[in-house]
Amino acid sequence: MSGTRAEAAPGSVAPAGSAGRVLALCCAATFLAFLDSTVVNVAFPDLRHAFPEVPTARLTWVVSAYAVLFAALLAAAGRLADTLGRRTLFLGSTLAFTATSLAAGAAPTAGLLIL
């Protein structure tokens, strides 16, 4: 089978060249998880500045909604990984995170940002 990539059998040792790619992917995923859990809290002062007419109590819904959605999706992610596959779920989740981050950055009102 020339030209095809050999897949490692479960429990076997991966080829030496793939160890660096696995480490890089794990580092990138860890960075995204850290960014995901801290970005809203770090951005809160800027949100306050961007939406000065919105009461602070309403702006805290940005943080609360983000945390609730993150927790709800995290619980279901394990099952989705079993059914869809880890790679598919990882790539889809990364794409969804990027798209929703861009949408949040472009939100013209606090209500749309919370949504």
Side-chain angles (χ1 to χ4, degrees):
M1 291 194 287
S2 66
T4 61
R5 197 172 91 180
E7 295 291 326
S12 67
V13 177
S18 69
R21 285 185 291 208
V22 170
L23 178 61
L25 181 63
C26 288
C27 289
T30 301
F31 171 75
L32 282 176
F34 177 74
L35 177 69
D36 193 38
S37 64
T38 59
V39 70
V40 176
N41 292 321
V42 171
F44 195 79
D46 290 328
L47 291 175
R48 189 76 194 110
H49 180 70
F51 302 107
E53 73 284 355
V54 179
T56 304
R58 183 159 181 227
L59 274 181
T60 58
W61 273 104
V62 174
V63 178
S64 298
Y66 190 83
V68 167
L69 185 63
F70 180 77
L73 292 177
L74 190 62
R79 179 68 178 140
L80 281 173
D82 289 342
T83 57
L84 299 176
R86 292 183 306 245
R87 179 176 293 172
T88 302
L89 182 66
F90 180 76
L91 293 174
S93 298
T94 302
L95 180 64
F97 175 75
T98 303
T100 55
S101 294
L102 290 172
T109 66
L112 285 175
L113 180 61
I114 293 168
L115 179 68

